[in-house]
Amino acid sequence: MKGIVLLLLCSALVASAVNLPGVPVDFEVDDKVLSAIADDVADRLAKEYLNYMKTGVETPAFKKLTAQLANSHSQKDIFTRNLPELETRDSFFVCVACRSVMRVFAKTIREEDGELHGEDSAEFMKKFAMDVCKRLNLQTEEVCEGLIDSNLPSVEYIMRNSEIDSQSFCSLFMEFSFCNTGSNQDYNWTLTVDSTGEAITGPKADPPQATDSDIKICHFSDIHHDPLYEPGSLASCAEPMCCQRNQETAQGTSEAAGFWGDYRDCDLPWHSFESALDHAVATEKCDYVYQTGDIVDHMVWATSVEKNTEVLTKVSSRLNEAYPDVPIYPCIGNHEPHPLNLFSPEGVPEEVSTKWLYEHLYNDWSKWLPVETKETILKGGYYTVSPRQGFRIIALNSNDCYTDNFWLYHSGTDKIPQLQWFHDTLLAAEKASEYVHILTHIPSGDGTCWSVWAREFNKCITRFRGTISGIFTGHSHKDELFVYYSEEGHATAVAWNGGAVTTYSDKNPDYRVYDISAKDFGVLDHRTYIFNLTEANLTPDKQPVWFLEYEFAKEFTQDTSPAGIDKLLDEFADNPQLIRKYWRFRVTSADPQINRGCDRDCLAGSLCRASVTINNQRGRCEELRERLFLALDNEETTTPGGDDDDDNDDDGASTLGLLSLGSLLAVALSVRFTF
């Protein structure tokens, strides 16, 4: 009987989906159903919570609804994965929780009779947030309290000084999913781009030119040093990050953290970072060093100004010690601030401002950067510098696009100034006949990068394609590349992602070295060095055996121009063995990844990620995916592959058939019949 009711309800929702209020007409039918049901459950939850806050009475419906939601999601994934990577059941839960909590906050903070409207509402606000965390089984009490204590002042300020509604907030927060139904015009601005450049008639096809005086650049990204890492401690825990405690029960078991690091949810011990630097210095003589952000660990519930600044200074001092005579050019990652991910605009009160971080970073970076970079670093954590004649580096704070940065919801337009400065700096470089390298932590096509920001950023890349000779990124912890395209579909630039020194997210530690043309400063080739973590942990008393995992030109192509890399993507699509090799290097040949394998969806995800730099513009991705699936179908035998969930995020917004929709949402739908 319940199955019949479920199908009838699904049919009714499908029939009316085109006219659902607030749901874009271009949503897939299944996405409309998911969004409508999530909104219904969120509205019921918000009303029940408001009633509970006013009366202190837990109705039977409230108890049942919250109990069902508490059992409907995984506990760890919603904290350790980026939102686009979540399984649909977790996405549904996060969407419901986001919409309901934001509705409660907006009503109780902004309305005069609201429980949180008064100035002394912090205690009440924390009590509510802790209740949500416990009642919905979000995480351990320690994690919940740490995150709430650190984020509460900023969230309260943003809610009091912003008009953003729950639909718009959650649409941006979960932009690439069914939860995106908002249409706030303040969040759809355009950048003023110089129109005097040459019209684009084809891809950028001139390969970088080798010379006798070519330079080398070492690239370290996502170090994520954990000062509390304890070899032998528990590597599998309930919290988002482990390998710090319970050594007395874990040591000597398979749950014990390795000496040199651990594939599980653990960050980097100091001696492994030193090992990476020692090997790099002994192996390659680099002219410059790029460090593309995320020095602080993933213990997101226990950050502090003191802890973060100590780690930032310790790492920068060690880099300087390793490369005393080599210029080092860093950029800022999303893990650097306290609270995590939060980068405030100018003009906000000091107690919620990120100014302290910019001041600290300038003090750390000033040993490498000229004094003229101080103004923009203190303004927003970005800068430009010219290391030699004809060559310029622009380091951005791409957290302006990060949808986990709650300050994005304070205003949609306060992210324009840095992008306008970026455009103007590129224009000046073009007029000065300079070639430019761009350093940025979050790649513009990442699932957590706001599409409007990415769209306008990409306009700058297209306009100044002749000036830009390299883009260098981090954040994903994957050794990968991204091709930028013009609106006409022509390849205009390539971004190179340096992977990560940390082991967090099932990887071997790695670093990169680029060969750079001294004539046009394009990337001629690159090499990735790793060590196998499994083998290294077998001999904790010996240094890890670092080795050259691969050389790009030998394994793939010598034509590293945008046109050449775009052609390589075609070869990936037509040759499954080649894309399998790319995937293996992409995940740094890490044992857990190799053991799981990579099925057809995983391979398509890797290919799509390389061809998407604006996440809601996926035409090239779809074309390549279709060709890859045809090639896989034509293989005499299909290589068996596991379910590589880590790469499923690359496929974008979730789409489900009605059968899987019914099974996933049976619990959520059933609450409709309990009121």
Side-chain angles (χ1 to χ4, degrees):
M1 181 64 184
K2 187 172 288 187
I4 295 174
V5 172
L6 173 62
L7 288 175
L8 286 173
L9 181 56
C10 283
S11 298
L13 284 167
V14 170
S16 63
V18 175
N19 298 313
L20 285 173
V23 179
V25 295
D26 59 345
F27 262 27
E28 295 292 332
V29 169
D30 295 342
D31 282 346
K32 292 176 182 177
V33 174
L34 284 166
S35 180
I37 298 171
D39 204 52
D40 182 72
V41 177
D43 188 56
R44 291 173 182 271
L45 179 59
K47 289 177 179 176
E48 286 291 334
Y49 247 118
L50 287 167
N51 178 68
Y52 171 60
M53 292 169 71
K54 287 180 181 295
T55 66
V57 176
E58 300 178 72
T59 67
F62 181 47
K63 291 180 180 179
K64 184 169 185 178
L65 176 55
T66 53
Q68 288 173 323
L69 287 171
N71 292 321
S72 71
H73 65 90
S74 65
Q75 189 180 56
K76 197 162 186 175
D77 284 357
I78 60 176
F79 281 86
T80 58
R81 292 188 178 190
N82 286 330
L83 290 173
E85 299 176 24
L86 295 177
E87 295 179 8
T88 306
R89 64 175 182 136
D90 288 337
S91 292
F92 181 85
F93 170 79
V94 174
C95 185
V96 167
C98 179
R99 288 176 176 176
S100 58
V101 169
M102 290 306 298
R103 285 172 188 176
V104 171
F105 272 172
K107 186 173 181 62
T108 56
I109 287 176
R110 292 171 181 165
E111 296 185 6
E112 288 188 7
D113 61 345
E115 289 76 3
L116 304 179
H117 184 72
E119 293 301 321
D120 300 323
S121 61
E123 184 177 347
F124 194 93
M125 202 171 181
K126 178 179 177 178
K127 183 179 179 181
F128 164 65
M130 284 297 295
D131 186 85
V132 171
C133 192
K134 294 176 184 177
R135 203 179 289 269
L136 299 187
N137 192 30
L138 295 181
Q139 248 295 333
T140 65
E141 186 170 342
E142 175 190 337
V143 171
C144 288
E145 187 163 21
L147 286 170
I148 291 167
D149 284 344
S150 60
N151 283 275
L152 197 56
S154 297
V155 170
E156 183 177 12
Y157 180 89
I158 292 166
M159 291 302 301
R160 292 188 188 282
N161 295 277
S162 168
E163 295 301 318
I164 195 166
D165 58 273
S166 64
Q167 213 78 356
S168 297
F169 180 98
C170 299
S171 291
L172 282 169
F173 188 58
M174 302 183 69
E175 185 178 13
F176 304 110
S177 77
F178 64 86
C179 200
N180 183 1
T181 61
S183 57
N184 191 324
Q185 289 307 304
D186 289 341
Y187 288 81
N188 193 23
W189 40 265
T190 57
L191 196 68
T192 302
V193 177
D194 177 77
S195 60
T196 62
E198 293 182 6
I200 184 166
T201 58
K204 184 177 179 181
D206 296 331
Q209 301 177 36
T211 72
D212 293 335
S213 56
D214 291 337
I215 62 178
K216 289 184 182 180
I217 296 176
C218 283
H219 186 182
F220 300 92
S221 194
D222 294 80
I223 295 163
H224 288 295
H225 165 53
D226 178 12
L228 302 178
Y229 188 96
E230 192 68 45
S233 60
L234 185 64
S236 298
C237 64
E239 290 77 22
M241 194 180 81
C242 310
C243 295
Q244 294 181 333
R245 46 194 173 184
N246 300 118
Q247 187 181 50
E248 64 283 356
T249 59
Q251 196 153 21
T253 74
S254 61
E255 298 299 307
F259 180 80
W260 294 104
D262 203 283
Y263 286 126
R264 288 161 286 193
D265 296 318
C266 305
D267 270 322
L268 198 70
W270 183 251
H271 46 269
S272 295
F273 176 53
E274 291 198 306
S275 179
L277 288 181
D278 290 344
H279 183 268
V281 170
T283 306
E284 301 265 8
K285 181 174 174 53
C286 287
D287 299 280
Y288 304 120
V289 171
Y290 290 167
Q291 196 283 310
T292 48
D294 271 6
I295 288 173
V296 176
D297 61 61
H298 287 83
M299 196 177 181
V300 297
W301 68 98
T303 60
S304 68
V305 171
E306 295 75 21
K307 177 185 174 184
N308 290 23
T309 53
E310 182 178 343
V311 170
L312 289 167
T313 296
K314 184 177 182 181
V315 169
S316 68
S317 297
R318 186 65 182 87
L319 280 167
N320 195 58
E321 179 184 324
Y323 295 99
D325 302 315
V326 177
I328 298 174
Y329 300 105
C331 69
I332 194 168
N334 60 292
H335 277 262
E336 267 67 285
H338 168 76
L340 168 80
N341 299 330
L342 301 193
F343 294 83
S344 69
E346 291 186 289
V348 301
E350 186 174 342
E351 59 268 23
V352 293
S353 173
T354 319
K355 186 178 179 182
W356 68 267
L357 175 63
Y358 300 144
E359 291 174 345
H360 181 83
L361 289 176
Y362 178 72
N363 288 335
D364 277 355
W365 296 353
S366 60
K367 53 182 169 283
W368 305 314
L369 303 178
V371 68
E372 54 264 29
T373 63
K374 182 175 183 179
E375 180 182 355
T376 54
I377 291 174
L378 296 185
K379 184 181 181 69
Y382 54 93
Y383 65 89
T384 185
V385 64
S386 177
R388 60 172 70 184
Q389 186 173 1
F391 178 45
R392 179 164 296 279
I393 293 170
I394 300 175
L396 294 176
N397 179 357
S398 53
N399 294 286
D400 272 4
C401 88
Y402 196 37
T403 52
D404 285 0
N405 175 14
F406 294 156
W407 285 103
L408 177 61
Y409 312 112
H410 177 258
S411 167
T413 58
D414 62 17
K415 307 307 175 190
I416 298 175
Q418 182 188 179
L419 267 188
Q420 194 65 59
W421 170 89
F422 175 58
H423 166 276
D424 295 346
T425 304
L426 285 169
L427 182 61
E430 179 184 72
K431 292 178 179 179
S433 299
E434 294 176 328
Y435 290 101
V436 171
H437 280 183
I438 299 167
L439 310 185
T440 179
H441 178 65
I442 301 173
S444 67
D446 186 84
T448 56
C449 182
W450 180 24
S451 62
V452 170
W453 191 97
R455 181 190 69 200
E456 302 308 302
F457 176 78
N458 279 29
K459 287 180 182 178
C460 294
I461 303 303
T462 295
R463 167 61 185 85
F464 298 104
R465 62 196 178 278
T467 297
I468 298 167
S469 55
I471 304 171
F472 304 87
T473 72
H475 188 62
S476 74
H477 294 198
K478 292 183 176 69
D479 182 329
E480 55 189 346
L481 57 82
F482 317 109
V483 180
Y484 287 78
Y485 296 94
S486 68
E487 292 180 356
E488 300 82 7
H490 301 306
T492 58
V494 178
W496 308 91
N497 194 304
V501 186
T502 188
T503 64
Y504 194 94
S505 59
D506 285 339
K507 66 176 301 297
N508 289 317
D510 81 274
Y511 70 89
R512 273 238 191 121
V513 180
Y514 301 91
D515 295 329
I516 303 292
S517 166
K519 183 173 183 179
D520 56 18
F521 296 93
V523 174
L524 296 160
D525 195 6
H526 73 71
R527 294 169 295 286
T528 296
Y529 292 91
I530 67 171
F531 71 77
N532 180 275
L533 188 58
T534 302
E535 294 179 3
N537 282 334
L538 294 176
T539 54
D541 56 335
K542 296 181 181 179
Q543 280 291 317
V545 179
W546 288 87
F547 62 93
L548 174 63
E549 183 189 23
Y550 77 103
E551 188 171 347
F552 185 84
K554 289 182 179 178
E555 299 292 344
F556 298 113
T557 181
Q558 293 183 335
D559 185 355
T560 55
S561 70
I565 301 302
D566 188 39
K567 181 182 177 183
L568 177 64
L569 299 190
D570 288 326
E571 294 173 6
F572 284 164
D574 296 333
N575 183 351
Q577 286 302 102
L578 195 61
I579 185 64
R580 288 188 183 105
K581 178 165 56 172
Y582 172 77
W583 170 80
R584 186 174 75 251
F585 295 147
R586 185 176 184 241
V587 298
T588 62
S589 303
D591 291 342
Q593 303 269 17
I594 301 302
N595 292 338
R596 281 198 298 266
C598 188
D599 64 12
R600 60 193 287 130
D601 289 331
C602 161
L603 293 174
S606 297
L607 186 53
C608 277
R609 185 64 196 91
S611 59
V612 171
T613 53
I614 307 174
N615 217 311
N616 59 1
Q617 298 182 16
R618 310 181 68 82
R620 178 65 167 144
C621 154
E622 297 302 329
E623 172 198 342
L624 292 168
R625 184 209 300 265
E626 185 176 345
R627 288 170 58 176
L628 174 63
F629 285 169
L630 179 62
L632 288 167
D633 290 340
N634 290 334
E635 280 189 321
E636 289 186 5
T637 57
T638 301
T639 301
D643 216 3
D644 187 3
D645 292 333
D646 193 49
D647 285 275
N648 289 343
D649 63 304
D650 297 327
D651 295 336
S654 59
T655 54
L656 297 174
L658 283 177
L659 182 61
S660 59
L661 171 67
S663 62
L664 282 166
L665 300 183
V667 172
L669 285 170
S670 70
V671 304
R672 295 180 60 91
F673 307 106
T674 63
F675 296 95

